[in-house]
Amino acid sequence: MMVGSASALILAGGLAGSKRASAQQTLRVRRNIANMSLDDPDLVAFRTFVGEMRARDQSNAPSWIKFADIHGGSFNFKYCQHSNWYFLPWHRAYLDMYEQAVIELTGHTRFALPYWDWSTQQAYPPAFTDPMYQGMPNPLFSPFAGDDMRQERKPVPSLPAAETGVGKISGLLNATILENFAGGRPFDETVTPPQVQNNVSPVWLGRRGAVSELESGPHNYVHDEINGYMGFPAAARDPLFFLHHANIDRIWENWILQGHVNTTDPLWLDMVFPNHFLRMNGQTYSVRVDTVRRTADLGYKYDDSRAAAAPLRSLAQTGTDEIRFKALFNPAATTVVPRARTERIGSATPSRPLSIPLNVPSASASSGKRVFTVMRGTHVGSNLQCVRVFVNLPGAGPRTPTSDPHYVTAINFFANAAHQGHMDPGHCYSVELTNALKKLGQNGPPAPGSLTLQLVPIQRTGAPATDLAVGPEMIDVGLV
């Protein structure tokens, strides 16, 4: 039986009825840590759990490191899904694994992970910043005794509004379908022509799709800015990981409550993460995506949850959008959406940003008005923090402010060296240009010959001035 099934969860939480969500009052509530005292029962339970798991023999399951290693170790990811449309459901299942473990170990049946809303609270939550708590080492501090003491968090995080603020999140919530919001379906470029996912075999897990702006934006930015364990595949060794990902999960839930819908594609719903997760008795278990697509089916909600809005798009409209985005992200040639490709891009460095004249497809009466670029086969230097993207500003450089109207977004790199090996032959990033073009007075698709893209790499603070190049092998411009 999968842990994601309603019956397994009912038994684990001691709740009656056919589903945990049978009555709203039964749902556990994930709350904003900014509103919680240091001795809040949920924080006490989490602190107790982390302390006991850290105190165990770390070579045996289950323990703090064995649980964390499910996500990844010092240099390599293990089961975690990034860079494809399984990013959100996998991490939701991973957080649920911890919640159920805390409930079992502490007996606090109403436990729910807090979330850290870094869009409004830029400072670290105080419960995680003091090395001591009530005269004893604080289990929520990182690095903890016995950890790699070199993995120190950045003392004070810099979380600018342009990358992690309320406006940034509001823009991300405007995505119309899951593949645009959360990541594209994976594809296989080891064959010719490249093959888009066509079954639910586990071989597709870990293969890259188009990385969404939610993942390459605030998700990656916060990971890399905190640094320490959070900057590596071993990120789950830092207890702050869970508050960060609870917030990412909350953003997904808010996207749904705003009136959007998850895909009904069986390639997403029926995918199983086989034996990726671990129970407190040491047994592994599997989770199917369909069982984690609703927070209520896992027994929780967020403290800012509200009644779901009326659907923003009909099923027919959503289905049409899915076909068009699948075609846009498909690396093989397609005629479903107007798309033009630019190749032989070259590499950019902080001292030599790139200005790239892009091929632009001719618009037709049926063309959409949203403009996307898809950067394919992107190789990233290990000492880069991000690459800032501008449009129609050939002189853009590292000192060009993100308040400039030509600024589009930043593609941030979390554990990019590990991802590069994991996702060879390179990353694929999706970036929407529509809003930036509107700021420049252009309300429709750009005319052929009118579009340039600037890539401005930014070196990670304190990193060596080596391995700083970033360069896509090709860039597609599509009208959706």
Side-chain angles (χ1 to χ4, degrees):
M1 178 185 297
M2 299 179 189
V3 75
S5 67
S7 58
L9 286 168
I10 290 164
L11 291 173
L15 302 176
S18 61
K19 283 182 178 283
R20 255 187 194 176
S22 59
Q24 284 294 312
Q25 63 266 25
T26 69
L27 297 178
R28 296 174 289 108
V29 181
R30 289 185 178 177
R31 293 173 293 144
N32 190 334
I33 190 146
N35 303 323
M36 299 169 67
S37 64
L38 292 179
D39 60 352
D40 185 277
D42 282 350
L43 269 178
V44 170
F46 191 46
R47 194 181 291 115
T48 298
F49 170 80
V50 176
E52 292 199 21
M53 294 292 277
R54 284 186 184 274
R56 293 185 174 197
D57 180 352
Q58 299 301 301
S59 63
N60 293 321
S63 66
W64 182 248
I65 289 180
K66 289 296 184 182
F67 266 39
D69 283 352
I70 290 172
H71 186 273
S74 298
F75 301 105
N76 295 294
F77 292 97
K78 189 175 182 182
Y79 292 137
C80 72
Q81 296 301 299
H82 288 279
S83 308
N84 63 37
W85 65 350
Y86 300 117
F87 165 64
L88 290 177
W90 191 93
H91 285 83
R92 176 172 284 178
Y94 189 55
L95 264 60
D96 178 69
M97 180 190 83
Y98 277 84
E99 278 191 336
Q100 299 310 315
V102 172
I103 290 170
E104 181 176 338
L105 188 148
T106 67
H108 178 30
T109 59
R110 302 301 299 164
F111 173 77
L113 282 166
Y115 66 89
W116 173 30
D117 182 8
W118 24 254
S119 71
T120 58
Q121 179 192 357
Q122 286 75 39
Y124 292 135
F128 292 74
T129 57
D130 194 336
M132 304 296 289
Y133 178 73
Q134 294 185 345
M136 300 290 290
N138 179 11
L140 303 183
F141 184 78
S142 180
F144 193 74
D147 289 342
D148 181 345
M149 301 311 290
R150 296 170 297 179
Q151 303 303 334
E152 294 183 5
R153 298 173 185 152
K154 189 173 182 179
V156 179
S158 173
L159 301 174
E163 310 306 336
T164 62
V166 173
K168 177 71 172 181
I169 304 306
S170 295
L172 296 175
L173 291 172
N174 288 329
T176 56
I177 67 166
L178 184 79
E179 281 186 86
N180 182 19
F181 173 67
R185 65 191 71 203
F187 45 78
D188 181 6
E189 287 189 308
T190 65
V191 297
T192 304
Q195 176 65 61
V196 174
Q197 180 187 7
N198 56 10
N199 58 55
V200 291
S201 167
V203 300
W204 294 102
L205 296 176
R207 285 183 175 165
R208 62 185 173 96
V211 183
S212 71
E213 290 189 63
L214 172 63
E215 183 179 352
S216 70
H219 167 266
N220 285 2
Y221 190 98
V222 173
H223 266 287
D224 190 70
E225 178 62 19
I226 294 171
N227 215 338
Y229 281 123
M230 283 284 280
F232 291 87
R237 295 189 186 186
D238 185 338
L240 200 54
F241 170 96
F242 301 95
L243 279 69
H244 171 44
H245 265 279
N247 197 45
I248 295 292
D249 185 79
R250 168 180 160 269
I251 292 170
W252 180 17
E253 177 69 356
N254 284 339
W255 183 74
I256 295 294
L257 295 176
Q258 187 171 289
H260 300 293
V261 295
N262 289 320
T263 181
T264 58
D265 193 322
L267 295 181
W268 187 75
L269 289 173
D270 294 341
M271 176 58 79
V272 173
F273 306 129
N275 292 314
H276 282 197
F277 307 102
L278 185 63
R279 301 186 194 278
M280 287 296 287
N281 63 8
Q283 294 182 342
T284 60
Y285 65 91
S286 303
V287 170
R288 193 177 74 250
V289 169
D290 181 48
T291 65
V292 296
R293 61 193 173 101
R294 290 180 293 259
T295 62
D297 286 349
L298 294 176
Y300 70 91
K301 64 179 180 178
Y302 287 93
D303 58 1
D304 61 350
S305 292
R306 58 198 181 282
L312 294 174
R313 303 175 72 78
S314 68
L315 289 177
Q317 289 175 314
T318 300
T320 298
D321 273 2
E322 287 190 353
I323 291 171
R324 293 170 69 81
F325 274 97
K326 177 182 176 181
L328 172 65
F329 296 154
N330 185 348
T334 178
T335 58
V336 175
V337 295
R339 191 177 80 174
R341 177 167 290 176
T342 301
E343 300 185 75
R344 295 181 292 278
I345 306 297
S347 295
T349 64
S351 60
R352 296 194 319 273
L354 272 181
S355 183
I356 308 160
L358 295 179
N359 294 323
V360 177
S362 298
S364 65
S366 61
S367 299
K369 294 185 178 181
R370 297 176 65 190
V371 185
F372 287 83
T373 60
V374 182
M375 291 181 274
R376 304 186 184 279
T378 307
H379 294 272
V380 179
S382 61
N383 291 319
L384 288 178
Q385 177 183 355
C386 68
V387 58
R388 292 176 184 160
V389 181
F390 297 83
V391 63
N392 292 346
L393 188 64
R399 294 187 179 182
T400 305
T402 57
S403 58
D404 188 289
H406 298 81
Y407 176 71
V408 181
T409 191
I411 298 172
N412 300 282
F413 308 124
F414 157 49
N416 51 325
H419 268 302
Q420 196 66 57
H422 186 54
M423 307 303 284
D424 188 73
H427 306 269
C428 177
Y429 296 103
S430 167
V431 174
E432 184 168 5
L433 304 181
T434 313
N435 289 336
L437 292 172
K438 285 182 178 179
K439 285 188 291 184
L440 299 176
Q442 184 169 310
N443 294 317
S450 68
L451 186 64
T452 63
L453 197 72
Q454 287 71 46
L455 301 182
V456 181
I458 303 297
Q459 182 178 348
R460 182 179 291 108
T461 301
T466 58
D467 198 14
L468 296 175
V470 59
E473 294 178 356
M474 58 189 72
I475 299 178
D476 290 339
V477 175
L479 309 179
V480 178

